[in-house]
Amino acid sequence: MKCKKCGMKASVNMRQHKLALCRDHYLEWVPEQTERFIKKYEMFTRDEKILVAVSGGKDSLALWDILTRLGYRADGLYLGLGIDGGIGYSHASQRLAEKFAHEHDLKLHAVDIEKEYGQSIPVLSEMSHRGHGKPCAVCGLTKRHEMNRIARDLGYDVLATGHNLDDEAAVLFGNTLMWDANYLLRQGPVLPATEGLARKVKPLCRFYEREMTAYCLLRGIEYIYEECPFAEGSTSIYYKELLNQLETARPGAKLTFYLRFLEARKSGDLFVEKNVGQAHLHPCPKCGQPTSAPGLCSFCRMIEKVNSMEGVPGSSS
Ligand code: SF4
Ligand code: ZN
């Protein structure tokens, strides 16, 4: 297989694009494409301050690297979740995020949830009895809340996450199986800012996961290979496996599934927007972020509940 641009030996073959590229041309192609998506979906401009949510995994580090190479002003945010899982998951991922920031002379804000709120994610989850024994519900809630809080407090215009096409297609698949109109209408490369919430963007949403793996390997970016130990057996991994089977049989199926959805949503054909979408929101009296719950937002309610349980021992795991 030869590089389509220079005829040298190809390093990456993208069947869905009928495109094979050598190392150098691949490392040029990825930022070019990213820039195209940033413009196409009007994600942000070079004057805006971007906060990249960095987990230490390949996608978020690749995103940070690409934005920096493109000349955007992007700082990183690492959230310490306090997840060990027998592999020191949080410590290892934080070390890699810090290493990347240090080597590229970039600014990384590190926020430790346990220091900030008194308990790690697994303990918060156990104490608040949410999520049926898995901390993912509490983890997701906390990450969203903290990313918003920090973006707002530190004056960032936009919050960028490293979700790739495999992530987005799996979420879309799940929402479609449920015909969840509210979620479907909110899923996309850009979630506009609303009162109290920063704009959210996903510049990598059109790249396959393996394209990001290839990018990190070819760029020499060291990332955490292990998934979070709590991800095992999750529905989203199951959906990804199903979609991978589809992709093997029909290269490009995943991309078409996602892009056609974006087109349908944009054209307004998908649902009658006025019937769904925004529930009535008001600012949480404690943290100021918008919520539809009466009184405090779900995050502040969870923290209050945990704080009121004085003397309850923490997790034994
Ligand atoms: Fe959080 Fe891990 Fe669950 Fe992901 S898999 S939501 S990082 S606990
Ligand atoms: Zn709140």
Side-chain angles (χ1 to χ4, degrees), residues 289-303:
Q289 294 194 20
T291 174
S292 58
L296 295 182
C297 74
S298 342
F299 178 80
C300 292
R301 241 183 312 137
M302 171 188 77
I303 295 293

Side-chain angles (χ1 to χ4, degrees), residues 34-67:
T34 312
E35 179 78 338
R36 200 164 74 79
F37 306 150
I38 292 170
K39 296 233 163 77
K40 181 178 168 64
Y41 299 113
E42 299 175 346
M43 293 187 179
F44 42 75
T45 64
R46 285 197 164 62
D47 303 325
E48 292 184 298
K49 271 178 72 188
I50 305 158
L51 186 63
V52 182
V54 180
S55 67
K58 61 182 176 332
D59 304 296
S60 56
L61 288 177
L63 174 61
W64 204 9
D65 185 65
I66 294 164
L67 294 183

Side-chain angles (χ1 to χ4, degrees), residues 59-206:
D59 304 296
S60 56
L61 288 177
L63 174 61
W64 204 9
D65 185 65
I66 294 164
L67 294 183
T68 309
R69 285 180 65 203
L70 287 169
Y72 287 102
R73 294 196 292 160
D75 296 339
L77 167 64
Y78 177 85
L79 294 176
L81 307 172
I83 293 174
D84 182 72
I87 53 169
Y89 175 76
S90 284
H91 282 295
S93 53
Q94 181 161 6
R95 188 186 63 78
L96 291 168
E98 283 170 348
K99 179 172 181 271
F100 181 87
H102 179 73
E103 283 173 0
H104 295 79
D105 203 15
L106 294 169
K107 185 176 195 169
L108 178 70
H109 306 282
V111 173
D112 190 307
I113 298 298
E114 187 168 352
K115 276 195 200 127
E116 209 70 34
Y117 297 101
Q119 309 292 351
S120 68
I121 292 291
V123 179
L124 278 177
S125 174
E126 215 172 278
M127 290 176 78
S128 61
H129 299 288
R130 284 172 178 244
H132 313 288
K134 269 210 169 201
C136 297
V138 164
C139 184
L141 175 69
T142 306
K143 283 194 280 200
R144 279 193 300 280
H145 187 274
E146 288 300 281
M147 289 192 284
N148 272 314
R149 178 179 71 83
I150 292 152
R152 186 189 61 188
D153 289 359
L154 301 181
Y156 286 92
D157 301 295
V158 52
L159 192 61
T161 55
H163 294 94
N164 58 39
L165 178 68
D166 294 54
D167 299 323
E168 291 302 286
V171 170
L172 176 59
F173 189 61
N175 289 340
T176 307
L177 285 181
M178 303 302 287
W179 287 115
D180 193 322
N182 268 312
Y183 281 120
L184 284 167
L185 282 170
R186 269 186 287 150
Q187 195 188 347
V190 178
L191 199 60
T194 49
E195 190 61 33
L197 294 181
R199 185 186 333 141
K200 288 200 187 99
V201 299
K202 299 169 183 169
L204 305 183
C205 65
R206 290 176 62 160

Side-chain angles (χ1 to χ4, degrees), residues 241-290:
E241 286 166 5
L242 289 176
L243 290 166
N244 282 341
Q245 286 181 27
L246 182 64
E247 182 74 24
T248 308
R250 295 174 50 194
K254 231 186 272 187
L255 187 60
T256 307
F257 177 51
Y258 183 62
L259 293 184
R260 288 279 164 85
F261 157 71
L262 292 183
E263 280 168 23
R265 202 191 60 157
K266 198 173 166 205
S267 70
D269 291 347
L270 200 56
F271 295 103
V272 181
E273 285 219 29
K274 66 176 191 286
N275 294 333
V276 285
Q278 289 290 320
H280 189 69
L281 300 178
H282 67 91
C284 163
K286 195 159 167 222
C287 72
Q289 294 194 20

